[in-house]
Amino acid sequence: EITLRARQIVGFDDHQHLSISGRFALVEGRLCAGGGIVLPGAYHRRVSGGPAPVENLFFADGKVTRDRRARRNGHSGRVVWFTGLSASGKSTLAIELERQLFNAGRQVYFLDGDNLRHGLCAGLGFSATDRTENIRRAAEAAKLFADAGIICLAAFISPLRADRDRARSLLEPGKFIEVHVATPVEVCRQRDPKGLYARADRGEIKEFTGVTAPYEPPEKPEIVLHPERESVDACVTRLLEFLAEQDNGSFSI
């Protein structure tokens, strides 16, 4: 382990928190002279993406590691992110998956978009800026669950790819599973359990995804589900089979 001191400001991340920008190379001329990873340290951290940049904040690392949590739980923490139109069936699938995983003894928690808007995201509207902030907060909360060794099932419309990609970047590779609940908008309109599509058509709701605001489908999701063609049980079975392939089969139930 070595300490490097730079003459200029250098941007980097703790490898434990963001591995992609937690690696470095030492270059002399055109030759690569060495490289390594950035270990945890008391670095000055400038947090962006929130209401305002904050200086002089430091991470407080506990003495219970992710590996120890994984060994006790029998599985590692991760985020299963359900994205799709309103009324596509995201929450229905996540709730049933949570039930089955919990009954099998897994540490699991369901994180719902509407629920967060009653508390953590209260006060945010549905403008493009507020939606991005809503997903940022949700992603940070989901990351904390995963860091605690819990399987976090996050159900959010999350219409923009950039917001979902940002959520993915918070976790290590393989720990973010994007599930596209690809129910067509025509089917969602027919379901409309909350009457939101009807209200959007009447102009009572502005910036409503699928009506007056865009939805960008995932380009490379880990799983694509079609609840309009498959039963809830069939969709959940597919999710469980996918999870069973992770962590050497520790998700098998």
Side-chain angles (χ1 to χ4, degrees), residues 37-245:
I37 64 172
V38 180
L39 299 175
Y43 305 118
H44 287 282
R45 181 173 178 83
R46 188 175 180 88
V47 181
S48 62
V54 181
E55 302 261 2
N56 303 321
L57 294 182
F58 304 91
F59 271 106
D61 292 317
K63 294 185 177 180
V64 181
T65 65
R66 294 177 187 173
D67 288 342
R68 291 183 64 185
R69 295 181 194 277
R71 286 196 296 271
R72 172 173 290 186
N73 292 339
H75 60 79
S76 62
R78 66 192 58 231
V79 174
V80 182
W81 190 281
F82 294 79
T83 176
L85 296 170
S86 178
S88 62
K90 301 181 298 299
S91 294
T92 299
L93 295 173
I95 289 170
E96 178 59 21
L97 179 60
E98 179 191 37
R99 185 186 71 82
Q100 294 200 31
L101 287 173
F102 179 80
N103 288 344
R106 305 298 184 260
Q107 299 294 325
V108 59
Y109 189 80
F110 167 54
L111 203 60
D112 179 74
D114 282 359
N115 291 353
L116 257 64
R117 282 186 175 272
H118 286 288
L120 179 63
C121 298
L124 294 177
F126 292 89
S127 66
T129 300
D130 280 1
R131 285 190 167 207
T132 291
E133 174 61 12
N134 180 62
I135 297 304
R136 186 193 72 82
R137 296 185 192 182
E140 291 287 353
K143 173 191 172 184
L144 291 176
F145 276 104
D147 191 57
I150 295 172
I151 309 163
C152 182
L153 311 179
F156 296 85
I157 294 174
S158 47
L160 301 182
R161 293 191 190 101
D163 292 342
R164 298 192 301 267
D165 289 345
R166 191 175 299 110
R168 181 187 291 273
S169 72
L170 296 177
L171 287 98
E172 298 176 355
K175 300 302 183 183
F176 184 93
I177 300 168
E178 189 174 33
V179 180
H180 182 201
V181 185
T183 307
V185 65
E186 296 79 11
V187 177
C188 296
R189 280 179 170 276
Q190 292 172 4
R191 293 176 176 175
D192 201 13
K194 302 175 184 177
L196 298 179
Y197 284 94
R199 292 183 59 196
D201 288 337
R202 294 194 298 267
E204 298 175 8
I205 302 177
K206 297 180 180 180
E207 300 297 323
F208 187 77
T209 304
V211 179
T212 54
Y215 177 79
E216 299 174 353
E219 294 180 332
K220 294 181 179 180
E222 278 71 15
I223 305 176
V224 180
L225 300 176
H226 294 276
E228 81 282 5
R229 302 202 302 255
E230 303 175 274
S231 67
V232 171
D233 286 343
C235 290
V236 171
T237 296
R238 287 185 57 198
L239 290 167
L240 290 171
E241 289 174 348
F242 182 91
L243 291 174
E245 298 175 359

